[in-house]
């Protein structure tokens, strides 16, 4: 059917058997088969509602509109590959798997939403979809397979949900429009070249977590994970292993800001060797070991802070850091170092500051005693943990050096209020807490003198009580009920309350009606709503008859068929006209 352009099979059934429609191929029950439309320039295809699977159609270059049936559970390998006329597609919630190369080469596909029903995305599934600007991956997907989004050059953002455990080889290779990337803490492995040649990728964040992240890649080829990525800002929230920076491809020249999260306990050998654009480096208190040559040749570092839990620092860890002017070692027990951990020139010219009272320990420690400019004029203000709106006052002296009395000030009185060393939460938001020594002209230096403190909103659930009304009654006011208010807050303190919505009025039939809510918001609360219901029951329809509630009444329709016989108090009728009899009294009743 060479001239066929539009085909609607929505009400058709595909039946198994028949003669071969293509060499070696017969139809299968409820399956859109391989090469169904081979050599046909089909433009519009509406899938059968009963179909459960779509195979490679065979009309790829011309088709521009495809409606996938609501019972499709699988899009097979190459089903829509090279459909260059297709600009968008809706994948229904019935689909559980997307096969290899399913949409490969759909070069004009702009928008795509993968539903939460999908658990598996095959290799090369969206390779060379060069017009695809965003990819929403649902939290049902656990693996992003090899080459899944290879060459999607227009892709500017991608969400990787917390369900994803692994990212395959070359998964996002050559996504040149990608500027920032967040890797969630669920991901435990990233394959060769996964983000190689993403030449616009400047911001990389690996979220905090306890699972070690394994990064693969070949140091002598473009298969390094971040090869040719000009990353400028990198947040490392987890331990990683497998490859140092020069292997997994982070540019040693472009990386300017490195932040190491509090979940990191060790830094691998050569991890950031040669990152010459970093000027300041703080090793958090969670880090205990720093590997060999971990930061060697980071020639731009001027200031270095070493964690108070550091126990060992490897050979040449900071060799070639010839701009170092100040080194803060926060552990009162000197970490174990070797004679070549720092260069001789650093030991001769840089100032080493250690905690009060630990000067003699460093003077006697191997590797530290060679420093010429050593001082214990150092206090360290610990990081203040995030709080939640509703928490009690916080004693800031817990985060000051032992025995030291400091004064404090806040940058935002609408977030926190400080009285002496006690900090009271006023509202959600962020503020800077600054600590000061009380004496004037003190030479002592405070590490972490300014600490950012964040108050996050607390959870608040809003609902209404379930109610029951009789048919014909107006809907009464739905009174909001709150669960989670803190301090002395009431509902009147909420900026914008959710409004309950229920489609019930005097004309509503009997049944249950949901109560839903508009969106609410407040600075101090994360507002959620819990659906409720209004139940409409049959109204008593013979209130005008002066009989005792417990006396037996009979109800008939206009055809004389008895519909009810029992006490008046239990009578419920739908809308209509009825004959009601009680003893010798008979009357006609109209129920609205």
């Amino acid at each position: 059917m060479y001239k066929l352009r539009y085909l609607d099979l929505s009400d058709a059934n595909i039946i198994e058997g028949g003669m071969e429609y293509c060499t070696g191929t017969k139809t299968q029950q409820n399956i859109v088969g391989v090469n169904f439309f081979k050599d046909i320039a089909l433009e519009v295809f509406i899938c059968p509602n009963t179909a459960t699977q779509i195979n490679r159609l065979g009309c790829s270059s011309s088709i521009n509109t495809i409606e996938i049936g609501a019972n499709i559970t699988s899009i097979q390998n190459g089903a829509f590959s090279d459909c260059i006329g297709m600009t968008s597609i809706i994948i229904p919630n019935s689909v559980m798997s997307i096969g290899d190369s399913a949409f490969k080469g759909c070069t004009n596909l702009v928008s795509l939403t993968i539903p939460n029903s999908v658990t598996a995305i095959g290799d090369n599934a969206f390779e060379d979809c060069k017009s695809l600007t965003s990819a929403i991956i649902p939290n049902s997907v656990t693996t992003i397979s090899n080459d899944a989004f290879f060459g999607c050059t227009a892709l500017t953002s991608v969400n990787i949900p917390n369900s994803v455990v692994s990212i395959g080889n070359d998964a996002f290779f050559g996504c040149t429009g990608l500027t920032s990337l967040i890797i969630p803490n669920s991901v435990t492995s990233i394959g060769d070249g996964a983000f190689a040649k993403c030449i616009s990728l400047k911001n990389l964040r690996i979220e905090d977590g306890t699972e070690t992240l394994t990064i693969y890649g070949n140091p002598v080829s473009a298969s390094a994970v971040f090869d040719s990525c000009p990353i400028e800002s990198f947040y490392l929230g987890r331990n990683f292993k497998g490859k140092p920076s020069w292997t997994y491809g982070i540019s040693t020249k472009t990386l300017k800001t490195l932040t190491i999260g509090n979940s990191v306990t060790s830094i691998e050998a050569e991890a950031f060797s040669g990152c010459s654009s970093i000027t300041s480096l703080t090793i958090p208190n969670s880090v205990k070991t720093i590997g060999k040559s971990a930061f060697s040749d980071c020639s731009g570092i001027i200031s270095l802070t070493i964690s108070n839990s550091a126990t060992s620092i490897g050979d040449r860890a900071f060799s070639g850091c010839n701009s170092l002017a100040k080194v803060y070692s926060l552990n009162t027990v000197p970490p174990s170092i070797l004679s070549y951990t720092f260069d001789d020139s650093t030991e001769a010219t840089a100032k080493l500051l250690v905690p009060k009272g630990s000067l003699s320990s460093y003077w006697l420690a191997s590797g530290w005693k060679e420093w010429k400019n050593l001082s214990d004029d150092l206090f360290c203000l610990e990081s203040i943990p995030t709080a939640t709106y509703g928490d009690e006052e916080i004693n800031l002296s817990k985060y000051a050096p032992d025995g030291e009395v400091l004064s404090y000030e806040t940058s935002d009185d609408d977030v926190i209020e400080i009285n002496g060393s006690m900090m009271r939460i006023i509202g959600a938001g962020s503020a800077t807490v600054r600590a000061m020594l009380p004496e004037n002209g003190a030479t002592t230096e405070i590490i972490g003198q300014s600490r950012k403190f964040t108050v996050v909103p607390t959870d608040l659930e809003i609902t209404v009580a379930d109610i029951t009304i009789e048919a014909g009654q107006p809907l009464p006011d739905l009174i909001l009920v709150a669960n989670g208010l803190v301090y002395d807050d009431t509902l009147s303190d909420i900026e914008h309350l959710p409004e309950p919505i229920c489609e019930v009025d005097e004309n509503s039939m009997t049944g249950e009606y949901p109560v839903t809510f508009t969106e609410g918001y407040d600075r101090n609360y994360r507002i959620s709503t819990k659906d409720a219901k209004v139940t409409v029951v049959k109204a008593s329809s013979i209130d005008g008859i002066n009989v005792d509630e417990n006396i037996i009444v009979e109800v008939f329709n206009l055809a004389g068929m008895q519909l009810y016989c029992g006490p008046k108090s239990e009578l419920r009728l739908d809308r209509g006209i009825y004959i009601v009899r009680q003893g010798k009294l008979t009357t006609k009743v109209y129920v609205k």
Side-chain angles (χ1 to χ4, degrees), residues 564-590:
Y564 176 80
C565 181
K568 174 191 171 187
S569 60
E570 297 179 9
L571 176 60
R572 297 290 184 269
L573 294 174
D574 291 327
R575 287 185 292 182
I577 301 174
Y578 302 90
I579 304 299
V580 179
R581 183 171 66 195
Q582 188 273 316
K584 296 180 179 181
L585 176 64
T586 301
T587 185
K588 183 184 289 185
V589 174
Y590 173 51

Side-chain angles (χ1 to χ4, degrees), residues 230-433:
I231 295 171
E232 297 178 359
S233 176
F234 181 21
Y235 179 89
L236 176 64
R238 285 192 283 156
N239 291 334
F240 67 95
K241 67 179 181 180
K243 305 297 170 184
S245 64
W246 54 269
T247 302
Y248 60 68
I250 290 179
S251 172
T252 56
K253 294 182 178 179
T254 61
L255 185 61
K256 298 175 181 178
T257 303
L258 172 63
T259 304
I260 300 171
N262 289 320
S263 296
V264 177
T265 58
S266 64
I267 299 173
E268 292 282 295
E270 302 182 45
F272 297 97
S273 175
C275 293
S276 57
S277 296
I278 300 173
T279 58
S280 178
L281 178 63
T282 297
I283 309 296
N285 291 333
S286 57
V287 172
K288 296 181 179 180
T289 60
I290 300 172
K292 176 182 177 181
S293 301
F295 297 95
S296 62
D297 296 322
C298 291
S299 56
I301 296 179
I302 299 171
S303 173
L304 168 65
T305 301
I306 301 171
S307 66
N308 63 14
S309 61
T311 57
S312 67
I313 303 174
D315 187 27
R316 302 186 183 278
F318 296 99
S319 70
C321 298
N322 46 33
S323 296
L324 266 176
K326 281 189 177 182
V327 175
Y328 304 92
S329 183
L330 306 186
N331 198 339
T332 56
V333 178
S336 171
I337 64 173
L338 300 173
S339 57
Y340 297 109
T341 296
F342 295 91
D343 290 342
D344 292 343
S345 59
T346 300
E347 295 169 351
T349 59
K351 186 174 183 179
L352 173 63
L353 290 99
V354 300
K356 276 286 184 185
S358 61
L359 190 60
S360 59
S361 298
Y362 280 82
W363 270 342
L364 297 172
S366 175
W368 295 107
K369 60 186 178 183
E370 286 82 9
W371 287 70
K372 309 303 181 190
N373 191 356
L374 179 59
S375 167
D376 68 346
D377 291 332
L378 176 64
F379 287 148
C380 181
L381 185 69
E382 299 292 338
S383 296
I384 305 170
T386 297
T388 300
Y389 183 73
D391 287 353
E392 296 181 355
E393 285 187 310
I394 295 171
N395 189 346
L396 292 172
S397 62
K398 291 172 55 178
Y399 307 99
D402 289 343
E404 297 301 326
V405 178
L406 305 177
S407 58
Y408 304 90
E409 62 183 21
T410 174
S411 64
D412 194 338
D413 291 329
D414 291 331
V415 177
I416 52 176
E417 180 180 88
I418 294 177
N419 183 13
S421 64
M422 300 304 294
M423 180 171 67
R424 186 166 69 93
I425 294 171
I426 304 299
S430 294
T432 299
V433 178

Side-chain angles (χ1 to χ4, degrees), residues 137-155:
I137 301 170
N139 56 17
S140 53
V141 173
T142 58
T143 301
I144 299 176
S145 299
N146 300 335
D147 303 280
F149 294 91
F150 185 106
C152 294
T153 54
L155 195 64

